Amino acid sequence: MPRARFSAVDAHNHLGRWLSPDGDWTTPELGALLELMDASNVRAIVNLDGMWGDELEANLDRYDRAHPGRFSTFCQLDWGQTVRPGFGQRLAASVERSAAAGAKGLKIWKDLGTRVRDDRGVLVLPDDARLVPIWAAAADRGLSVAIHTADPVAFFDPVDERNERLEELLAHPDWSFADGERFPRFDRLIESLETLVGANPLTTFVGVHVGGYAEDLAWVRRMLDTNPNFYVDVAARLAELGRQPRTARRLIETHADQVLFGTDAFPPDAGTYAIHFRFLETGDEHFAYSGDDPPPQGRWAVSGLELPDDVLRKVYAENALRLIPSLDG
Ligand SMILES: [Zn+2]
């Protein structure tokens, strides 16, 4: 499926520099990226890599300002601030500066909850009351907060022959949170996200990677039912959704206003988009969710969701355009 059936927004991607090993842009050829977007029927990409300050300006110059309507850059926060008291106010001020510069949203990465520590060395979790000024500032400025909490449940399990993501964890040992002395347990992190979203109803949160808990769609359903300010994206979770396609389809159909298309695949490529479109649009059964062998996120295949057209339109673009109005028009 080389083209999305309806114009799509890839609401989760990384077009910046901080994730590149060489510090270069993840997409050096911007012309080729725009051609790929046109060929794939991707009208816009959300770039979550805006960081803050000069790096935000560089991202906005390269994407949002050079190609209005095609790119939308989110800012991030300097979590090095948390080692000094008063960080909530300082980080809220950073959100306000970034919004004034032109950031369209705020991205919170998984290091909040797993690595970020305060002046006493205590981990700062998403529901930490000291962070509330950040969420208030985002709400004031109309910025959605895309938040990545925890990671796949298997990443918290021992890295042994019973771990269903063993090959991935062997390839990326630093992705493991198995060490319970250093890292909180998965349940604590996901409860923290639930508390955060419930306690800040005026702030719009997008729980990336199916809310961080694609393994338990009943939990995701409850979160979406309980919190009108909560959305999820499907980025990097085809493998999970595609091995429970009936439950996934029911969830997306009944919460079609709260689910965003996104890939987290960078640099964007035609093959990855084609698999996503096949997954969302067709009822094909038991196909590969990745071109890699073995597949990167577990040794299984997926079945398509065959979403109806009205649901596809919302998931592909309408919901993202509502959260990021500057992309519309
Ligand atoms: Zn991502």
Side-chain angles (χ1 to χ4, degrees), residues 76-92:
Q76 296 197 25
L77 293 170
D78 174 11
W79 291 111
Q81 293 285 334
T82 57
V83 296
R84 286 190 297 122
F87 56 83
Q89 281 72 21
R90 287 197 301 281
L91 292 172

Side-chain angles (χ1 to χ4, degrees), residues 12 14 107 209 264:
H12 185 142
H14 298 280
K107 169 72 188 299
H209 308 313
D264 199 23

Side-chain angles (χ1 to χ4, degrees), residues 290-309:
S290 160
D292 296 350
D293 183 26
Q297 298 181 325
R299 288 190 179 229
W300 58 83
V302 297
S303 296
L305 301 187
E306 207 174 4
L307 294 174
D309 285 356

Side-chain angles (χ1 to χ4, degrees), residues 109 179 211 244:
W109 198 43
D179 184 349
Q244 41 186 334

Side-chain angles (χ1 to χ4, degrees), residues 12-14 19 48-49 107 109 148 208-209 235-236 263-266:
H12 185 142
N13 216 306
H14 298 280
L19 289 170
L48 298 175
D49 294 346
K107 169 72 188 299
W109 198 43
H148 176 169
V208 302
H209 308 313
T263 64
D264 199 23
F266 56 93

